[in-house]
């Protein structure tokens, strides 16, 4: 057998590569610029580095035009993302995040599609105390963004607690062991002194340039694909036999992002390449990351994700390279079956007399609304809860591991604050996700989180007319094609094109195993509703028993199936 010579793409390195190279392992001039009081912002180069510390400089886009007219600098503020593997937070940590969001943020918490907290609206002068307080609660924001391995997700699974705790431990281990080794974060935010004369730091796995792009890992536990394992750069599918975790199928090369009008960019699903034992997990993650480090595209960032590396080099070649680096071969993949990629709401009983309540959090936004005191209710629960909170990959929240003797007290608080398992909503709304988009996301072309609920009010009328209230159909909206709410895996997907305009996608699989395809381009609310009226009425009348909407639109010839990311645009 002739071993192929692998090569990274030619081309001069992107500017971000220069910034990382000159940054002295992610330090740049962040320490100094954060002290500067002249501007509420920071220079671009430092903002690029800031991501590796879990934060982005943003501005309030609702105020942008007005401030421009008044010749003021934009209303700069920072977003901060916590690294919280598996989405597990203690009640004490919840209270700290709640308190910080009131003191220094915009008074809300965003539960993200990767199972963690984001705070928005933090002013530059409050950043250090916010990060220090997060650190004192035994959380951090290291590598929550940036060209490194990100927050490792795992199934939120309230059903099989033992398996959950095992996969959670693995996600934590991966998240911790794959962290950058630089002390930059500790020096900049936590006042750690740099010891003079220390030999130059090395990043044994990442190297001084870190990765060409972000890298994401998630662990699913069938039959739930709540974490959308095929959307990960590296996905692990837990294989459970006789109630015991025996190992994981390994899937590589997924990702959701693309650019409108650029067919060289596309969402892609990770493909299963084999099976490994639990103790081999870290080795696989490390070696896969080093393949992306060595062969990823450092020249064109929009083609730099691992999915493009895999597609360019070929799945088999990448598998072979991985096995070479491991020094052993993967076993043949084991059979598995996914049923769905959403959450299951309400109370369920776990093991050892413990209960779990999955709460529906629309758009993942925890706040107090006029008629719904969600944030206050959760605060009161956190004060008495002795289990944990699990943030789900569908932006919901599980009040987990509630002991029998606490269940009545927590149920009473759930009732007092009207906290909802969403069962009075349509199953469509309960299966919805929307990314942050406006006003904080600098890349948003249209609304998502702020708009989807009102669009759903109208879609629910159509749902009711057609007797589909209890029919689960996944619907996802993003403000741009980056796909932060994994739009291409929603049976109905909307991607923002311009204010009030969306591309509409159909045909993804209910279990997250098939991508959608574009159905209509650049349409506004009126067209969206009239399209859905026709589609949902046909679905109600013509569907087969148990047939999901995403499968129906393909069988009915309404849309062609996307069989691979490379034909997403066909
Ligand atoms: Fe994302 C960038 C929000 C999950 C793909 N994402 C951004 C930024 C930071 C905008 C920016 O670069 O300036 C957004 C901040 C908005 C804000 O105001 O808070 C942002 N992404 C989010 C969150 C908060 C969406 C949400 O509503 O929950 C999610 C935070 C996850 C976390 O906790 O780590 C979030 N982003 C995702 C996901 C879903 C996932 O990972 O499961 C994806 C698609 C999967 C993937 O990565 O392929 C995703 N985000 C992107 C991309 C496109 C990357 C690409 O491959 O092209 C960008 C843009 C970029 O990186 O250049 C982006
Ligand atoms: Fe922002 Fe686009 Fe991500 Fe939405 S999908 S949060 S608009 S980057």
């Amino acid at each position: 057998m002739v071993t192929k010579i692998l090569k990274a793409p030619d081309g001069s390195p992107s500017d971000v590569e220069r910034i990382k190279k000159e940054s002295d392992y992610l330090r740049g001039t962040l320490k100094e610029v954060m002290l500067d009081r002249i501007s509420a912002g920071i220079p671009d180069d430092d903002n690029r580095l800031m991501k590796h510390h879990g934060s982005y400089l943003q501005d309030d886009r609702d105020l942008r035009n007005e401030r421009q007219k008044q010749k003021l600098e934009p209303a700069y503020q920072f977003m901060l993302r916590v690294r919280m593997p598996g989405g597990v937070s203690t009640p004490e940590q919840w209270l700290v995040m709640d308190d910080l969001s009131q003191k220094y943020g915009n008074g809300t918490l965003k539960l993200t599609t990767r199972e963690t907290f984001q705070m928005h609206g933090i002013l530059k002068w409050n950043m250090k105390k916010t990060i220090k307080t997060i650190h004192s609660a035994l959380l951090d924001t290291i590598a929550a963004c940036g060209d490194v391995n990100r927050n490792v997700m795992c199934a939120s699974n309230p059903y099989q607690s033992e398996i959950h705790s095992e996969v959670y431990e693995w996600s934590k281990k991966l998240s911790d062991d794959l962290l950058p080794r630089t002390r930059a974060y500790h020096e900049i935010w936590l006042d750690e002194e740099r010891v003079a004369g220390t030999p130059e730091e090395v990043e044994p796995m990442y190297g001084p340039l870190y990765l060409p792009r972000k890298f994401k890992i998630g662990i699913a536990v069938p039959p739930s694909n709540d974490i959308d394992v095929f959307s990960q750069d590296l996905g692990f599918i837990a294989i459970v036999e006789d109630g015991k975790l025996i190992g994981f199928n390994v899937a590589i090369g997924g990702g959701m992002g693309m650019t409108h009008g650029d067919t060289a960019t596309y969402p892609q699903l990770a493909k299963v390449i084999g099976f490994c034992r639990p103790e081999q997990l870290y080795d696989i993650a490390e070696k896969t990351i080093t393949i992306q480090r060595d062969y990823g595209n450092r020249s064109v960032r929009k083609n730099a994700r691992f999915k493009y590396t895999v597609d360019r080099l070929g799945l088999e070649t990448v598998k072979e390279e991985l096995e070479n680096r491991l020094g052993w071969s993967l076993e043949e993949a084991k059979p598995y079956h996914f049923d769905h990629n959403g959450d299951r709401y309400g109370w369920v009983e776990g093991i050892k007399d413990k209960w779990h309540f999955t709460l529906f959090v629309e758009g993942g936004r925890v706040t107090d609304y006029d008629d719904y005191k969600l944030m206050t209710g959760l605060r009161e629960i956190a004060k008495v809860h002795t289990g944990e909170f699990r943030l789900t990959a569908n932006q919901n929240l599980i009040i987990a591991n509630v002991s029998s003797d606490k269940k009545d007290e927590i149920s009473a608080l759930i009732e007092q604050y009207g906290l909802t398992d969403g069962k009075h909503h349509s199953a469509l709304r309960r299966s919805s996700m929307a990314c942050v988009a406006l006003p904080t996301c600098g890349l948003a072309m249209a609304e998502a989180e702020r708009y989807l609920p009102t669009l759903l009010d109208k879609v629910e009328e159509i749902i009711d007319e057609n007797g589909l209230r209890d029919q689960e159909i996944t619907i996802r909206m993003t403000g741009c094609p980056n796909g932060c709410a994994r739009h291409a895996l929603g049976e109905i997907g909307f991607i923002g094109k311009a204010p009030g305009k969306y591309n509409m996608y159909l045909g993804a699989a209910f279990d997250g195993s098939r991508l959608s395809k574009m159905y209509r381009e650049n349409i506004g609310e009126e067209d969206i509703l009239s399209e859905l009226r026709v589609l949902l009425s046909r679905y109600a009348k013509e569907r087969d028993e148990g047939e999901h909407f995403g499968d129906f639109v393909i069988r009915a010839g309404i849309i062609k199936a996307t069989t691979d990311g490379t034909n997403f645009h066909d």
Side-chain angles (χ1 to χ4, degrees), residues 47-48 51 56-58 77 79-82 110-120 143-145 147 150-151 153 213-216 227-228 231-233 254-259 265-268 301-308 363-365 393 395 433-444 449 477 480-487:
N47 196 29
R48 287 284 180 176
K51 296 177 188 184
Y56 277 67
L57 175 68
Q58 307 183 314
Q77 49 183 32
M79 173 276 266
L80 197 57
R81 186 182 291 165
V82 174
K110 172 86 179 179
L111 312 185
T112 75
T113 54
R114 289 192 75 76
E115 307 180 320
T116 191
F117 295 110
Q118 265 189 202
M119 281 169 55
H120 292 99
C145 319
D147 294 345
R150 301 290 189 85
N151 198 34
M153 299 166 90
R213 207 63 165 87
K214 57 178 81 167
F215 193 90
K216 298 182 174 178
I227 62 134
D228 272 326
S231 72
Q232 313 285 332
D233 294 273
M256 294 285 104
M258 61 170 200
T259 306
T265 65
Y266 49 85
Q268 180 59 289
R301 279 185 72 78
K302 63 182 178 180
N303 291 122
R305 290 295 292 273
F306 185 49
K307 61 182 174 182
Y308 301 116
R365 186 65 65 175
Q395 303 174 319
M433 277 213 279
C435 73
V436 182
L438 292 159
T440 52
C441 179
L443 306 176
E449 184 196 315
M477 177 175 274
C480 85
N482 283 321
C484 298
R486 299 186 291 271
H487 58 77

Side-chain angles (χ1 to χ4, degrees), residues 43-55:
D44 274 356
D45 280 16
D46 283 308
N47 196 29
R48 287 284 180 176
L49 298 174
M50 190 75 170
K51 296 177 188 184
H52 301 79
H53 301 254
S55 178

Side-chain angles (χ1 to χ4, degrees), residues 30-32 34-35 53 127-133 135 183-195:
L30 269 173
K31 202 168 180 171
E32 297 75 46
M34 289 307 288
L35 294 173
H53 301 254
M127 279 292 283
K128 199 162 164 178
K129 40 195 168 193
T130 305
I131 292 180
K132 274 189 170 172
T133 312
H135 188 251
R183 300 303 292 173
Y185 183 89
H186 298 78
E187 289 165 21
I188 296 166
W189 309 106
L190 305 174
D191 294 329
E192 185 179 282
E193 290 289 324
R194 192 172 193 177
V195 185

Side-chain angles (χ1 to χ4, degrees), residues 114 149-154 171 174 178 205 211 214-220 227-237 248-255 268-274 276 280-292 305-307 310 315 318 322 326 330:
R114 289 192 75 76
N149 176 58
R150 301 290 189 85
N151 198 34
V152 177
M153 299 166 90
C154 79
S171 67
L174 288 176
L178 296 169
M205 181 183 70
L211 298 181
K214 57 178 81 167
F215 193 90
K216 298 182 174 178
I217 302 180
I219 310 178
I227 62 134
D228 272 326
V229 72
F230 303 113
S231 72
Q232 313 285 332
D233 294 273
L234 175 60
F236 293 108
I237 301 169
F248 301 90
N249 280 350
V250 180
I252 58 169
Q268 180 59 289
L269 294 187
K271 311 216 173 45
V272 175
I273 54 167
C276 72
Q280 297 170 324
L281 208 65
Y282 175 76
D283 215 8
I284 291 187
E286 187 198 43
K287 301 297 183 304
T288 309
I289 287 174
T290 61
I291 295 176
Q292 164 67 350
R305 290 295 292 273
F306 185 49
K307 61 182 174 182
V310 173
L315 188 69
V318 175
L322 174 62
L326 289 167
L330 293 164

